[in-house]
Each structure stands twice: as structure tokens, then as C-alpha cells.
Amino acid sequence: NMFSQTFAAARHNQLIEIAADGTLVPEIAESWDTKDYIYRRHNPDGTNIQGPCTFFITGGMPGPTAIGNQPNCLLFGLNEATGHFDGSNFDWRVAMDYRFSPEVMVYAQVATGYRAGGVNPRPFFGPSSPNNQIKSFNPEKLTAYEVGFKTDLFDRKMRLNVSAFYNDYKDIILTLSACPISPCLQPNNIGKAHVKGFEVETLIKPVENFTLDGALSYLDFKYTGFTASTAALGGLTLNMVTPYTPKWKYSFGAQYDIPDVLGGTLSARFDGSYQSKVYTEAINYDSVAVAAVSGPLATYYASNKIPSYFLGNARLTWKQQSDSPFSVSLEVQNLFNKYYYTSLYEQYASPRTVSGAPGLPRTWAVTLKKDF
């Protein structure tokens, strides 16, 4: 999850009592990042790549990989090329909580975080090209506001935790496929966004030996402006969302335990999970009509959208009642044999392909385990 920022270790941490049942916790941190790159490029036989590319000298070709250029044209000028990034960041966090009773606690916090900047790790063009892709990018930064409450109710038979958040997201780092020409896989600081949402999680024990648990989250991502040039954005618009960012997610589980079965406990469990649609690239494509290179279809439709899907899993476990128990489980993953993708990568412009990784079909396993 790209919004789970890694906060630098606090160098100063002071706890201040503000009430008998509440606390105020301030934290500050300073981080320094230095990165140096040396790029090595050569032919498979170890010889130097010949160049510069005819494409960059005379033009008149469809692209740097067209017939007529030197072999490995794109790599010329990258061998022994270097890149450097140097930066620092100051972060802080203030958290407050108040406990109304042993069962109910409310909290609020404001915190900053960052993801370090760096240098493009995979350039296609080096310093000898006017489209040099050895470029650095700045850290992306987040200011996160969160409020919520945590409860244990009905004699600890129900736990309910709720939180709401608002994130101010700046200098967002995205890897674009045109910067401004292709091929390109260059990280860029493209702009800023506001992210808001909420999370709910619960654990319920309505009767003895029966447990229900669940979680629900909502995330609304909105770009508020771009700092990169229109050419560098390569078609990115304000109504798009960052890769693998579902608006809705939920999961739930139900488990029933039967004690004293052959000297152990027999547990039956079902888990379900749902994810709304996601896009797998910064440029969101629902469906783009593309003229087919060959085959029976004159047109096919390219997309990097993974539609919403629901998965169900079931497990039956027997666990021995002892200090070092032995257990055996029979589980079925993707119980309803849902066909879905875990990733998609479209290159509809060139070479007119869409590749993806399907999730596992219905899969079963028997697991033996011994604790020591």
C-alpha cells in the first residue's frame, strides 16, 4: 500500500501526562539519504556497444529500435555513466488519546512521513542522448491526520475499532512509461493529492466457541494538481488514481471450535475477501481499441484495469491439546474458483501486447505442523 509510509526512527521521544486517563506523545526525527549509481552496459559477449545511434543523429526512423540503428542502440552511452542523489528530511508526530473507561478509548494524531528520493534505476537513454533519462527525483511527503476510537464491549464479547483519516500527499513519485518519449520507466515527482477514508474492524464472540471477525475500508484518492510537464505526464489526468488503489475493501471470517475431539480441538473456518477495481499503472486504461497486428480480429481492446472480485477460503483444523501440540489442517483456497488477475501490464502502443498474472485457481492443501 503506497500510503503506508515508512516513518524514520524517532531521535527524540517524550511522554507528557495531560490527564489521569490521557496522554500526549510528541516525536521528532531527522533522516539523511545518499545514493550513488554506476550503470554497466555492454554486449552479451562483453564488447563495448557501438554508437551513437543513427536515430539520434539523422532521425528519419520510426524509433531507436528500428532496423538500421546500431545493435543495442538504446544502451549506448550508459556504460560507466553515474547518478547521484543527496537529501534529508525532518518528520514529526503528535498523538493524543483519552480513555473514558476501561472499555472505551478515543485518540487523534497528526504525523508526517516520507519516501526517499533517488535516481532513475533503469534508464534507456544515457547522457549522449538528448532524452537522457539518468535523472534524480525528490522524496514524496505525506501529512496524515487520523481520529478514531477503540472499544471492548459487552463483557469483552465484542471489539469495535473505527478510524477516519485525511492525508495531504505531495511530490508523488510515479514510474511513467513516457518521459516524454518511450521506452521509459523513469520515477518522477508528478504532483499532489488528497486522500481520505475510514477503516472499521471488529471481533465478535456471540456464543461460546464461535468467533466472527471482519474489516472494512474506504479510500478516496484525488489528484489536486500536477507539477510535471504535460509531455512527461504521458496522458495522466486528474481523474485517474495511483496503481493498485482500490476504493473499497472488506474481509470477514467465521470460526467454530469443537473441543475434546480425539484429545484436541476441531476448528472449522471460512474467510471471505473483496476488493473493488484497481488500475495497475499510473495511466488508467479501461478499454483502448487497438488495431491488431495479425489474427482473426481486426481490433482488440487493451486495459490495465483489474475488475472487482471476491475470494472465499475454507479450512478445517484439528489441534492437539498439549504444551507442544501437533496439528493437521485441510484447506481450500479460492473456494469458488474465481478467475482474476493479480497484475496487468499493457503495452498497447508498442509492441501491442497486454500481459498479466492470473491468481491461483481453486487449490487445496493438507498441512501437518508440530510446535516445540
Side-chain angles (χ1 to χ4, degrees), residues 103-321:
E103 295 80 19
V104 179
M105 187 265 285
V106 297
Y107 70 92
Q109 71 170 9
V110 183
T112 65
Y114 82 106
R115 182 164 64 143
V119 180
N120 182 12
R122 191 181 175 184
F124 289 90
F125 307 118
S128 62
S129 166
N131 299 295
N132 179 22
Q133 293 179 1
I134 301 179
K135 294 184 177 180
S136 62
F137 52 93
N138 296 322
E140 64 178 24
K141 300 180 180 181
L142 189 76
T143 302
Y145 306 84
E146 182 179 354
V147 296
F149 63 83
K150 299 178 182 291
T151 62
D152 283 307
L153 307 172
F154 309 116
D155 196 24
R156 301 181 67 86
K157 290 183 179 179
M158 177 180 179
R159 171 170 293 174
L160 178 64
N161 300 332
V162 177
S163 65
F165 60 87
Y166 176 86
N167 297 335
D168 188 9
Y169 200 19
K170 297 179 180 179
D171 291 327
I172 298 171
I173 300 171
L174 286 182
T175 300
L176 301 180
S177 56
C179 49
I181 68 171
S182 297
C184 174
L185 287 173
Q186 178 178 301
N188 285 274
N189 298 105
I190 59 95
K192 53 188 178 179
H194 290 161
V195 187
K196 58 186 177 182
F198 65 84
E199 296 178 345
V200 181
E201 58 180 18
T202 186
L203 177 67
I204 305 172
K205 297 181 178 180
V207 295
E208 188 177 5
N209 299 324
F210 184 50
T211 304
L212 296 169
D213 60 83
L216 170 69
S217 66
Y218 170 78
L219 190 149
D220 181 33
F221 179 98
K222 294 291 185 184
Y223 285 115
T224 58
F226 294 133
T227 55
S229 67
T230 302
L233 291 173
L236 189 67
T237 61
L238 291 174
N239 63 336
M240 294 180 179
V241 297
T242 48
Y244 296 98
T245 306
K247 183 164 292 231
W248 289 98
K249 290 186 72 174
Y250 70 76
S251 62
F252 65 88
Q255 179 170 320
Y256 189 76
D257 300 320
I258 306 174
D260 302 323
V261 177
L262 301 176
T265 299
L266 183 65
S267 301
R269 182 173 179 84
F270 177 83
D271 291 285
S273 62
Y274 169 84
Q275 174 182 284
S276 61
K277 70 178 182 181
V278 298
Y279 295 93
T280 61
E281 299 176 55
I283 310 299
N284 303 163
Y285 292 116
D286 284 281
S287 182
V288 178
V290 182
V293 177
S294 61
L297 297 178
T299 304
Y300 74 95
Y301 295 89
S303 174
N304 56 33
K305 179 180 73 174
I306 297 178
S308 61
Y309 60 87
F310 174 85
L311 299 177
N313 307 309
R315 185 173 73 247
L316 187 65
T317 303
W318 177 85
K319 186 173 184 179
Q320 184 183 26
Q321 294 174 340

